[in-house]
């Protein structure tokens, strides 16, 4: 759940609104997330159309203060992730199986297959003022993929692309690739 929220999710943690949303175009994926939440917290949410973007996505939303507080304590970032510092929680980094599940879910949310380069790429945007934080987050992934599974990646890198948010803040993608075939076969 933490990886899903770092990827395609959003946590609102303000005194007036404590909720989470998980976004996807796939109802099956939203139901998978809802089942995870219910298995752990015994709380059900609702699927609704997302009205804040033009991608035709839907949200699985849950309003529950105790659950949001718990997820925040476990390391889920709140607010706009491109404007928020976060890292992989130590309790995940210290357990090979938990890290495997975490990275599996994060890659499910944020990665793509680059057919031309024959690699898997993960990319996440950060505000230009938090680029170092984004690079450090990917460096954690790189380090533990190698330590636990012998999976080699590129160093985290930037390109010259940027997005300009409605609030005028520029964001840039931090990227990393798994290139060699031996590492791709190990990826689960």
């Amino acid at each position: 759940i933490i990886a899903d929220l770092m990827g395609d999710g959003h946590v609102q943690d303000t005194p007036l609104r404590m909720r989470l949303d998980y976004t996807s175009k796939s109802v099956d994926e939203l139901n998978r997330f809802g089942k995870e939440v219910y298995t752990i917290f015994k709380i059900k949410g609702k699927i609704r159309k997302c009205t804040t973007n033009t991608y035709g996505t839907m949200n699985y939303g849950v309003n529950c203060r105790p659950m949001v507080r718990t997820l925040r304590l476990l390391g889920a970032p709140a607010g706009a992730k491109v404007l928020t510092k976060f890292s992989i929680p130590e309790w995940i980094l210290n357990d090979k199986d938990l890290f495997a599940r975490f990275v599996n879910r994060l890659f499910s949310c944020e990665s793509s297959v680059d057919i031309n380069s024959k690699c898997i790429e993960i990319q996440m945007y950060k505000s230009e003022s938090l680029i170092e934080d984004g690079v450090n987050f990917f460096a954690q992934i790189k380090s533990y993929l190698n330590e636990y599974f012998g999976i080699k990646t590129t160093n985290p890198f930037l390109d010259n692309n940027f997005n300009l948010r409605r609030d005028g803040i520029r964001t840039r993608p931090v990227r990393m690739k798994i290139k060699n075939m031996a590492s791709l076969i190990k990826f689960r």
Side-chain angles (χ1 to χ4, degrees):
I1 292 174
I2 300 296
D4 285 331
L5 293 173
M6 286 181 179
D8 289 337
H10 178 80
V11 175
Q12 292 180 27
D13 182 11
T14 63
L16 298 177
R17 288 190 66 93
M18 289 191 136
R19 67 172 283 119
L20 65 83
D21 288 298
Y22 180 70
T23 303
S24 179
K25 287 184 178 181
S26 166
V27 172
D28 289 341
E29 175 61 14
L30 295 173
N31 285 327
R32 181 214 51 86
F33 179 79
K35 184 177 177 183
E36 294 270 344
V37 169
Y38 186 78
T39 298
I40 295 169
F41 295 102
K42 303 298 184 236
I43 296 168
K44 290 185 178 181
K46 293 182 181 177
I47 296 175
R48 61 182 171 79
K49 280 190 166 186
C50 183
T51 59
T52 58
N53 68 43
T54 58
Y55 306 116
T57 59
M58 296 167 284
N59 290 336
Y60 184 91
V62 181
N63 294 307
C64 180
R65 287 176 188 261
M67 184 182 69
V68 169
R69 286 186 187 119
T70 300
L71 289 168
R72 290 284 294 127
L73 289 170
L74 290 171
K81 292 181 296 278
V82 297
L83 305 176
T84 304
K85 288 184 176 188
F86 59 86
S87 60
I88 303 171
E90 288 295 320
W91 62 272
I92 293 173
L93 290 175
N94 293 332
D95 185 289
K96 182 178 180 178
D97 292 333
L98 290 176
F99 178 76
R101 181 68 177 144
F102 175 88
V103 81
N104 174 284
R105 289 302 319 143
L106 189 68
F107 270 73
S108 291
C109 293
E110 299 298 328
S111 72
S112 61
V113 175
D114 182 340
I115 301 292
N116 295 331
S117 298
K118 297 181 182 172
C119 67
I120 296 172
E121 178 177 338
I122 185 168
Q123 169 178 284
M124 295 176 81
Y125 278 77
K126 289 303 256 186
S127 69
E128 289 186 323
S129 65
L130 292 177
I131 290 295
E132 185 178 342
D133 179 67
V135 169
N136 290 339
F137 180 75
F138 276 35
Q140 285 182 303
I141 295 170
K142 173 186 175 63
S143 174
Y144 283 85
L145 280 174
N146 185 42
E147 179 181 331
Y148 285 145
F149 308 108
I151 295 174
K152 306 291 184 201
T153 71
T154 63
N155 288 324
F157 63 95
L158 307 171
D159 59 29
N160 292 327
N161 294 334
F162 71 91
N163 282 342
L164 188 59
R165 291 168 39 105
R166 285 183 234 148
D167 58 11
I169 295 173
R170 285 173 44 129
T171 63
R172 293 183 61 194
V174 179
R175 301 168 58 196
M176 186 172 68
K177 296 183 179 194
I178 300 173
K179 285 190 169 185
N180 66 23
M181 187 59 68
S183 286
L184 288 173
I185 291 170
K186 292 178 186 177
F187 193 74
R188 54 179 180 178

